[in-house]
Amino acid sequence: MIIETVVSTVNKDNEPHFAAVGVEFIQQKAVFNLYKKSHTFSNLKNKDSGIINVVDKAEYLLKAALGSAKIDFSKIEKRNLYYLTDCCSYYQFKLINIEEQAEKYLVKVEITEAEENRKYIGFNRANNLLVEAAVIASRIGITKTKNDLVQFINQNRKVINKTGDKNTQELLKFLERNI
């Protein structure tokens, strides 16, 4: 099963980068796909470690997908890695292998440490739709267009407003401002 997460890596200037990434956990390992031109892939080539953040708020996936710098994060000093302060749990990893595929790379990592901040609650219907919007947003310019995202939002706006809360409606406005 693939879980939508936020993967954090560090660029060559030692600054954090956050990306929405679907991850499959397999015992003490994880696998995920990265597009060849992604910042996350470039960062992993420079530093072969990072963090997988498990979240229960669509906000983090949307902000990571849209490259928003307004994400609260904390630093693990001894490893020079960053995690989302409000994530449910996070997994530090070390790169094992990168396998080239068509337009992506299959990345295999070993989980070296795991921390749980709080219980994972899950997503309601509105948040599930916003997570899907984050996936579409993360693929703009690769396999999706802005028009695909606008169309998705227009098709699902009524359900998002009906099943979400005030925060969900604010996220919808944030998404519309940033596309």
Side-chain angles (χ1 to χ4, degrees):
M1 177 170 63
I2 295 173
I3 298 170
E4 296 304 326
T5 70
V6 175
V7 171
S8 51
T9 54
V10 177
N11 67 20
K12 61 184 176 183
D13 296 324
N14 289 316
E15 296 171 341
H17 173 74
F18 298 93
V21 178
V23 174
E24 182 178 1
F25 290 94
I26 305 166
Q27 297 174 0
Q28 284 300 110
K29 295 178 176 53
V31 296
F32 48 90
N33 289 294
L34 296 175
Y35 285 99
K36 291 183 177 180
K37 295 180 180 181
S38 72
H39 293 293
T40 303
F41 175 72
S42 297
N43 293 346
L44 283 177
K45 283 182 16 185
N46 291 323
K47 182 176 183 167
D48 64 352
S49 58
I51 293 182
I52 300 167
N53 298 271
V54 176
V55 298
D56 60 0
K57 296 179 181 175
E59 169 185 359
Y60 300 120
L61 295 161
L62 279 169
K63 288 181 175 180
L66 294 170
S68 173
K70 295 183 180 182
I71 296 179
D72 279 341
F73 57 85
S74 299
K75 184 176 183 180
I76 301 172
E77 292 292 338
K78 66 181 179 180
R79 301 274 320 272
N80 193 34
L81 293 173
Y82 300 85
Y83 64 95
L84 295 175
T85 305
D86 190 36
C87 67
C88 297
S89 56
Y90 63 92
Y91 300 86
Q92 296 178 53
F93 68 80
K94 182 127 178 92
L95 183 64
I96 297 173
N97 185 42
I98 297 174
E99 182 181 314
E100 188 168 352
Q101 297 181 331
E103 72 269 355
K104 298 179 183 179
Y105 290 106
L106 178 65
V107 178
K108 296 178 183 177
V109 300
E110 179 181 5
I111 305 299
T112 57
E113 290 187 46
E115 293 289 332
E116 182 177 70
N117 290 334
R118 59 187 172 78
K119 292 271 186 217
Y120 174 81
I121 297 170
F123 294 103
N124 71 359
R125 196 167 168 202
N127 278 292
N128 279 327
L129 290 167
L130 290 172
V131 168
E132 191 59 33
V135 171
I136 295 168
S138 72
R139 295 179 178 164
I140 291 174
I142 302 169
T143 61
K144 298 288 183 183
T145 66
K146 285 184 181 182
N147 191 48
D148 293 325
L149 183 54
V150 169
Q151 186 176 3
F152 180 83
I153 291 168
N154 289 337
Q155 289 172 339
N156 293 287
R157 179 185 320 282
K158 184 176 180 180
V159 174
I160 292 169
N161 286 326
K162 178 181 176 184
T163 62
D165 58 11
K166 185 177 179 179
N167 185 51
T168 306
Q169 292 169 359
E170 289 300 317
L171 281 174
L172 184 58
K173 290 176 188 173
F174 166 81
L175 181 58
E176 291 173 326
R177 282 191 310 267
N178 286 280
I179 56 172

